[in-house]
Amino acid sequence: MFKIKITETVLRDAHQSLLATRMTTDEMLPIAEKLDEVGYFSLEAWGGATFDACMRFLDEDPWERLRLLKKAIKKTPLQMLLRGQNLLGYKHYPDDIVNEFIIKSVENGIDIIRIFDALNDVRNLEVPIKAAKSAGAHVQAAIVYTISPVHNTEHYLKVAKSFQDLGADSICIKDMSGILSPYVAYDLIKSFKKAIRIPIQLHSHCTAGLASMTYLKAIEAGVDVVDTAISPLALGTSQPATEAIVAALKDTKYDTGLNLKVLSEIADYFKKVKEHHTNGSDLSLLMSVDATALESQIPGGMLSNLILQLKQQNALDKYNEVLKEVPQVRQDLGYPPLVTPMSQMVGTQAVLNVVTGERYKIVPKEIKDYVKGLYGKPPVPISYEIRKKIIGDEEIITKRPADLLSPQLDKIRNEIKEYLEQEEDVLSYALFPQVAKNFFEYRQAKKYQIDSTLVNMEEKTYPI
């Protein structure tokens, strides 16, 4: 029997895709021990956009979330998503910050680190993979799947072999847009299983309605692990439903061995969480299949934030127009896969092109940096016309982008010494300076409020 393993995404990608990453730690902890009982291969519980969202929107310390989850989840490995040299931010960070961030992630409870680069530029994963291996984590190197004139089986196999040579413990095919079709998946996995010695995992989204069928063909082709989400936070722009995949494989040679009764109890809990977040929300647009993703290739997490971005500009009526502009911007920029940070960058440029009524009239700094080569090598060279429009005659960088960066840890530690309560604060600030500073000020104010209350209680006298 070839048992298929399951990674549950409800604590990270599922709510990032459907709820704009707004699930709180308090909503996770009551069900954590029950999740630990299931027998999952891993629980994806950290990384991606959750780190930023914790501080920016929820007034939470992401490191404390990780520690609390690790305390409650003792048997199942905790997994995180890391954006290579970008870590959990949206630009490249110096090697000293990358190394320290990975060390602290493992120390605080991460067992498996899924590491990817938005451009599949292997140079950008060399330091993160080495650091994760040294820290004792299982390193899962992820290949970002997309469709373009240059992204084919030969390309993906070349990247996978490079990851294996770097010491990856497993490979993930990361289909963030849900555009990997069933028979293409079958052929791709078959090719991987012949050429790659380490386990293969598949991550997809139901955005275009393909993922469940794609999973079945991938399983038949020999994939080892698939990512799913408990049913209330599955489908739409999220992953296939855990219970449906478990039921589909039951009593076959691929049987997962997972208990549907326990999964049903977990689903009942998350139904209430979902209701709390989606009542009267525009996020309902993300709960159904949208086959336009086959053309736009927009991933689920990008869609939820795109809707919020347009809403903030009172331009939600331009949603469909922006969806059509995204693939054109992507082509202009050399077909980068639409995964963080490229998805946000391409999406923002598409919004600006539509809202201003003139393409590239306004160009964010991040897009300029990308065109300069500061994120890595584009899959296809950017045309002279587009390059000229965006950066003029500025020089293109061809070396590993992080080679241009000086160490920063000591400088940052000194910069935030008045707020420092734990060593991890240095890393939070390194990734999101203003967001972290706002959170540190909130944390200090809250602590002062609590201390003042305790002092008042101690000073109060009571009659005997």
Side-chain angles (χ1 to χ4, degrees):
M1 180 178 285
F2 181 72
K3 182 179 177 181
I4 291 295
K5 300 180 181 70
I6 300 285
T7 290
E8 173 63 59
T9 68
V10 70
L11 300 181
R12 206 286 296 178
D13 199 19
H15 76 98
Q16 180 174 320
S17 295
L18 294 182
L19 307 178
T21 330
R22 298 301 196 270
M23 193 186 296
T24 67
T25 305
D26 284 346
E27 289 173 319
M28 298 175 183
L29 291 176
I31 198 65
E33 289 183 13
K34 183 69 71 174
L35 286 166
D36 199 22
E37 290 177 20
V38 174
Y40 291 118
F41 170 72
S42 65
L43 279 164
E44 192 193 43
W46 210 61
T50 62
F51 193 94
D52 180 9
C54 269
M55 295 187 292
R56 188 186 298 267
F57 302 115
L58 306 177
D59 292 327
E60 289 188 16
D61 178 2
W63 299 99
E64 182 62 12
R65 170 181 290 187
L66 176 56
R67 289 190 287 264
L68 290 169
L69 287 172
K70 189 64 176 180
K71 188 176 179 181
I73 298 167
K74 297 178 171 63
K75 296 179 288 187
T76 312
L78 290 187
Q79 182 168 320
M80 73 171 292
L81 181 68
L82 191 84
R83 302 166 189 153
Q85 203 75 29
N86 293 348
L87 295 175
L88 303 179
Y90 305 100
K91 65 177 184 179
H92 282 217
Y93 297 95
D95 291 342
D96 64 330
I97 290 175
V98 171
N99 282 310
E100 186 68 10
F101 189 93
I102 289 171
I103 289 168
K104 288 298 180 186
S105 298
V106 175
E107 282 181 4
N108 280 274
I110 289 298
D111 302 291
I112 300 172
I113 306 181
R114 179 179 291 171
I115 310 174
F116 75 92
D117 176 69
L119 302 175
N120 288 327
D121 190 332
V122 178
R123 299 172 304 167
N124 294 332
L125 272 74
E126 290 170 359
V127 169
I129 286 177
K130 185 178 179 182
K133 291 286 287 184
S134 297
H138 173 113
V139 177
Q140 185 173 92
I143 296 169
V144 177
Y145 180 82
T146 190
I147 298 170
S148 85
V150 296
H151 290 92
N152 51 32
T153 299
E154 184 182 353
H155 165 80
Y156 293 126
L157 269 176
K158 182 180 177 183
V159 175
K161 287 175 181 175
S162 296
F163 288 162
Q164 183 173 260
D165 291 344
L166 283 174
D169 298 297
S170 61
I171 299 284
C172 175
I173 298 170
K174 181 176 169 59
D175 175 28
M176 65 285 169
S177 302
I179 55 174
L180 177 60
S181 61
Y183 290 97
V184 172
Y186 183 88
D187 292 341
L188 187 60
I189 299 293
K190 277 288 188 186
S191 298
F192 271 45
K193 294 302 286 187
K194 285 179 185 175
I196 303 297
R197 301 183 304 274
I198 54 181
I200 308 297
Q201 185 157 350
L202 178 58
H203 169 94
S204 189
H205 291 250
C206 299
T207 316
L210 295 174
S212 295
M213 295 179 284
T214 297
Y215 276 16
L216 284 178
K217 291 304 293 182
I219 288 165
E220 290 175 2
V223 80
D224 299 280
V225 192
V226 292
D227 287 8
T228 65
I230 203 73
S231 56
L233 288 172
L235 308 179
T237 55
S238 181
Q239 281 74 51
T242 305
E243 304 96 305
I245 296 297
V246 170
L249 300 178
K250 189 172 173 55
D251 298 328
T252 72
K253 64 179 180 178
Y254 309 113
D255 197 325
T256 65
L258 301 189
N259 189 321
L260 280 166
K261 184 177 182 298
V262 177
L263 292 174
S264 179
E265 292 170 7
I266 293 167
D268 286 341
Y269 175 83
F270 281 108
K271 282 175 187 173
K272 295 171 185 173
V273 173
K274 179 182 177 181
E275 286 168 9
H276 170 70
H277 285 276
T278 57
N279 187 23
S281 169
D282 289 318
L283 295 174
S284 58
L285 287 168
L286 307 171
M287 307 299 172
S288 59
V289 167
D290 183 358
T292 60
L294 294 170
E295 181 181 354
S296 70
Q297 300 196 38
I298 295 177
M302 178 181 172
L303 276 174
S304 61
N305 286 292
L306 198 62
I307 288 168
L308 293 176
Q309 191 177 15
L310 285 168
K311 189 179 178 184
Q312 286 167 358
Q313 298 185 45
N314 295 316
L316 199 53
D317 59 311
K318 297 186 182 294
Y319 179 67
N320 289 326
E321 197 177 339
V322 170
L323 291 189
K324 290 177 183 175
E325 176 65 8
V326 165
Q328 184 57 56
V329 172
R330 179 173 175 257
Q331 181 178 332
D332 291 344
L333 298 179
Y335 294 102
L338 291 180
V339 66
T340 303
M342 290 311 306
S343 54
Q344 286 84 350
M345 289 158 59
V346 170
T348 297
Q349 187 63 65
V351 168
L352 289 170
N353 287 357
V354 169
V355 171
T356 62
E358 183 181 336
R359 305 187 78 240
Y360 303 107
K361 179 181 181 180
I362 299 175
V363 179
K365 179 182 181 297
E366 291 78 10
I367 291 287
K368 292 179 181 179
D369 286 347
Y370 164 74
V371 174
K372 289 178 195 174
L374 290 173
Y375 284 85
K377 185 180 178 182
V380 172
I382 299 169
S383 73
Y384 173 79
E385 292 76 18
I386 294 295
R387 199 171 73 234
K388 181 83 172 173
K389 188 177 285 191
I390 293 175
I391 63 167
D393 295 321
E394 291 191 56
E395 184 184 356
I396 302 296
I397 291 143
T398 56
K399 61 174 67 176
R400 185 182 77 111
D403 287 339
L404 302 169
L405 303 174
S406 302
Q408 289 182 4
L409 266 180
D410 291 339
K411 177 182 174 230
I412 291 170
R413 188 177 291 107
N414 186 59
E415 201 172 307
I416 65 156
K417 57 188 175 185
E418 63 181 299
Y419 299 108
L420 201 60
E421 293 187 10
Q422 56 181 353
E423 191 60 26
E424 289 82 356
D425 290 341
V426 178
L427 298 164
S428 299
Y429 185 84
L431 269 60
F432 302 102
Q434 191 55 55
V435 171
K437 184 172 180 287
N438 290 343
F439 171 71
F440 297 156
E441 288 172 349
Y442 161 83
R443 183 176 65 183
Q444 280 190 351
K446 187 177 178 184
K447 187 176 179 183
Y448 175 78
Q449 209 171 27
I450 292 170
D451 289 347
S452 297
T453 302
L454 290 172
V455 167
N456 289 336
M457 287 175 65
E458 287 170 2
E459 290 178 348
K460 200 169 186 179
T461 57
Y462 295 90
I464 296 173

